[in-house]
Amino acid sequence: MLDWIAVDWGTSSLRAWGIDASGAILWEESSDKGMGGLAPAEFEPIFLDLVGPHIAGQDRVEAIACGMVGAKQGWTEAGYRAVPCLPLDANMTAAPVADPRLRFRIIGGLSQAKPADVIRGEETQIAGFQALNPKFDGVISLPGTHTKWVHVSAGEVVSFQTCMTGDLFAAISGHTVLRHSVQTEDWDADAFLAAVDDAVSRPEKLAARLFSLRAEGLLDGLGAGAARARLSGLLIGAELAATRPYWLGQEVAIIGAGGVSRLYAEALGSLGVTATLASGDAMVLKGLAAARALDGESQ
């Protein structure tokens, strides 16, 4: 029997899992109705449409959500807590609802004053990782459009740094002259690692190294697979150079999707750092369950 609904509502997608009282997943639903294209009044009907077949006849529907649904442009704003702090607390923000059965609450994000930075959604994945690794003390990397580097100690998020590496890769590969050089699914692992080493060693050369991908394609026949791998390696390498104080000499865990997480693990491995990998989806669910447990303890 359904006990509550776990929700991960990002900018471009919505996912929901029905959870029973034992913590088992009863069902899973997904939609491309991310918060990025919705007005506040649209959130409730879209959510109810998605989970409707599973809640027919329910007197009460309890949902806990993380992600951009709690942004200023989302359903309702779930504020930030300043670090250092635990990744989660029991004070979630209730979304306004019309359906009297529905109680929908949103996990807030984390903020850092200097240098200014924010996290929204990743705090839940961090909490999920901590639930499985309660003694972890080190750095958690969360690769993606905006990669996060998070220092965790004694259960708290101490500090973090965001790098727009995924955004840069998408913009450069899709909207600059390099789009003519990297449009392929081919991949050259050796070229990737060589580019990581180059960028870590000389990050100030990044802009010049990028154009060389186009020039080498025209003059030397550099293949698209090698060019794409080098573009990724140069950007990730520059990121690793910038975040060296986070990963150097630290225990490192990487949370995210398999493909991009493996690239970060390979890049760090080439620098002598062995990272623990964890599934982003699994950590979201663990983190949402941790939020649910905190809520139960506070009542």
Side-chain angles (χ1 to χ4, degrees):
M1 180 178 177
L2 180 67
D3 184 44
W4 65 289
I5 302 174
V7 183
D8 180 10
W9 206 331
T11 302
S12 59
S13 65
L14 160 63
R15 295 180 298 169
W17 298 266
I19 313 293
D20 71 12
S22 73
I25 298 173
L26 301 175
W27 47 263
E28 177 181 351
E29 298 289 351
S30 63
S31 165
D32 61 358
K33 301 292 186 180
M35 63 74 59
L38 302 180
E42 295 178 288
F43 283 88
E44 182 179 359
I46 284 172
F47 176 70
L48 291 175
D49 283 347
L50 182 70
V51 304
H54 303 289
I55 62 172
Q58 294 273 134
D59 295 326
R60 183 177 179 83
V61 180
E62 183 91 19
I64 294 177
C66 67
M68 294 302 291
V69 65
K72 185 175 294 187
Q73 300 81 12
W75 190 337
T76 192
E77 185 174 10
Y80 297 103
R81 291 180 298 118
V83 298
C85 63
L86 296 172
L88 300 178
D89 71 2
N91 297 316
M92 292 177 279
T93 300
V97 296
D99 191 319
R101 300 174 301 162
L102 180 61
R103 186 185 187 210
F104 194 105
R105 286 171 302 153
I106 304 171
I107 296 169
L110 304 180
S111 66
Q112 179 176 275
K114 291 184 179 180
D117 212 333
V118 293
I119 277 178
R120 188 176 294 284
E122 292 88 356
E123 76 293 319
T124 305
Q125 293 178 309
I126 294 165
F129 184 81
Q130 287 181 325
L132 295 175
N133 304 274
K135 296 183 179 180
F136 180 83
D137 195 304
V139 170
I140 299 175
S141 174
L142 300 105
T145 303
H146 301 151
T147 298
K148 308 290 183 178
W149 292 86
V150 183
H151 178 205
V152 175
S153 182
E156 290 190 330
V157 174
V158 178
S159 67
F160 57 94
Q161 183 174 353
T162 302
C163 298
M164 293 178 58
T165 305
D167 256 346
L168 287 173
F169 182 87
I172 291 169
S173 63
H175 301 284
T176 73
V177 68
L178 293 187
R179 71 186 184 277
H180 304 298
S181 303
V182 300
Q183 296 304 315
T184 181
E185 295 302 316
D186 293 340
W187 189 258
D188 186 324
D190 291 337
F192 170 75
L193 291 178
V196 168
D197 180 69
D198 185 17
V200 169
S201 301
R202 301 294 300 273
E204 74 278 7
K205 296 284 190 179
L206 177 62
R209 295 287 193 262
L210 290 176
F211 189 76
S212 72
L213 301 180
R214 178 59 175 163
E216 287 184 44
L218 293 171
L219 301 177
D220 302 327
L222 179 68
R228 185 175 183 83
R230 280 175 55 183
L231 172 59
S232 178
L234 288 169
L235 293 175
I236 291 176
E239 177 184 326
L240 293 178
T243 57
R244 194 189 304 266
Y246 274 85
W247 53 263
L248 187 63
Q250 296 282 343
E251 185 175 356
V252 178
I254 300 173
I255 301 174
V260 68
S261 290
R262 283 192 295 272
L263 288 182
Y264 275 76
E266 290 169 7
L268 285 167
S270 72
L271 301 171
V273 177
T274 301
T276 299
L277 293 175
S279 162
D281 288 350
M283 295 307 101
V284 165
L285 277 169
K286 286 289 184 183
L288 288 165
R292 170 71 168 172
L294 281 174
D295 180 54
E297 292 171 4
S298 70
Q299 293 181 357

